[in-house]
Amino acid sequence: MYLILTLNWRTMNLKKLEKQTHESIDYWIDAFNHYSLEQILMKPSDQSWSLGQVGIHLWMASKGFFFKNAEKCLNKEGTEKGKKKKLGAHIIFTFRMLPPVRYEMPQQVSVIPKQPESKEQLIAKLEEIKKLSSDYIARIPQSDPELKTRHPFLGWLNTAEWIELCSIHFRHHRAQKKRIEKHFGFK
């Protein structure tokens, strides 16, 4: 038997969600402030991403996937009622983390992020995500928690769940950051 948690604005603490989301983003901003642009652009191999590319990926995924789906839920666009998350999604939301494995995106949606143009650009993009996350969290009470859009692997998610998943995604990439740092002997 497993515990099923449904994230919706009636049961979750929005201030706590905002704090946790900002902490997840600030972790990356602090890291980028610690390194030079040259270090941020270093790749362990031709097939690997740099720390900067991970940062650009986090920005792109937030704006182009998580927030885009949250917006659809808010605008009742392409949503359905009565749809459920998959069991794996319940586990992810219960423990507030993705399993600590490497994922490969399907080729049709896989995008190799460009290197950032500057350290300042990279940090500004993450600051933008912080602001947008606050804006979306403030709009959660306006959303119907039963209106959901489909995640390709996790099933159907509502506005609050899309925002929470964004925060989880930022934390998930910490392991990748640590692998890159270890490779170069950073810290």
Side-chain angles (χ1 to χ4, degrees), residues 58-110:
L58 291 168
W59 172 75
M60 288 171 44
S62 297
K63 285 191 74 172
F65 186 55
F66 301 114
F67 295 161
K68 186 176 186 179
N69 278 288
E71 188 67 35
K72 285 180 180 181
C73 291
L74 285 159
N75 291 332
K76 303 173 184 171
E77 173 190 325
T79 57
E80 295 199 29
K81 281 191 173 195
K83 297 288 186 169
K84 304 289 182 199
K85 291 188 290 294
K86 293 181 179 178
L87 173 61
H90 287 285
I91 295 167
I92 288 167
F93 284 108
T94 298
F95 291 102
R96 306 194 56 231
M97 63 180 281
L98 293 166
V101 296
R102 294 183 191 188
Y103 296 92
E104 267 195 50
M105 295 300 296
Q107 192 155 357
Q108 65 269 27
V109 296
S110 180

Side-chain angles (χ1 to χ4, degrees), residues 16-180:
K16 183 177 179 184
L17 176 60
E18 184 174 45
K19 180 180 184 285
Q20 291 167 343
T21 303
H22 284 196
E23 287 172 353
S24 297
I25 298 167
D26 284 339
Y27 172 87
W28 284 92
I29 292 171
D30 292 343
F32 293 132
N33 276 320
H34 180 78
Y35 292 119
S36 68
L37 179 60
E38 292 73 27
Q39 290 172 311
I40 289 170
L41 299 179
M42 293 169 68
K43 294 171 59 169
S45 72
D46 288 341
Q47 296 76 33
S48 299
W49 289 358
S50 68
L51 289 172
Q53 286 175 291
V54 176
I56 294 294
H57 165 74
L58 291 168
W59 172 75
M60 288 171 44
S62 297
K63 285 191 74 172
F65 186 55
F66 301 114
F67 295 161
K68 186 176 186 179
N69 278 288
E71 188 67 35
K72 285 180 180 181
C73 291
L74 285 159
N75 291 332
K76 303 173 184 171
E77 173 190 325
T79 57
E80 295 199 29
K81 281 191 173 195
K83 297 288 186 169
K84 304 289 182 199
K85 291 188 290 294
K86 293 181 179 178
L87 173 61
H90 287 285
I91 295 167
I92 288 167
F93 284 108
T94 298
F95 291 102
R96 306 194 56 231
M97 63 180 281
L98 293 166
V101 296
R102 294 183 191 188
Y103 296 92
E104 267 195 50
M105 295 300 296
Q107 192 155 357
Q108 65 269 27
V109 296
S110 180
V111 175
I112 298 173
K114 293 181 181 180
Q115 291 277 26
E117 295 171 15
S118 68
K119 188 170 154 172
E120 295 75 23
Q121 177 212 38
L122 184 56
I123 291 168
K125 287 182 179 299
L126 296 182
E127 290 288 355
E128 175 189 13
I129 297 306
K130 267 179 70 173
K131 169 139 181 22
L132 285 170
S133 70
S134 292
D135 294 346
Y136 277 103
I137 290 166
R139 294 171 63 198
I140 288 173
Q142 302 164 17
S143 69
D144 178 347
E146 294 300 315
L147 286 177
K148 301 176 181 185
T149 58
R150 187 179 166 279
H151 185 285
F153 307 115
L154 303 180
W156 294 82
L157 308 177
N158 64 29
T159 304
E161 290 163 334
W162 281 109
I163 303 305
E164 173 70 11
L165 189 57
C166 180
S167 180
I168 290 169
H169 182 243
F170 267 85
R171 289 191 303 275
H172 171 72
H173 278 280
R174 289 180 183 186
Q176 184 177 13
K177 174 185 165 288
K178 289 176 182 172
R179 283 192 304 272
I180 295 168

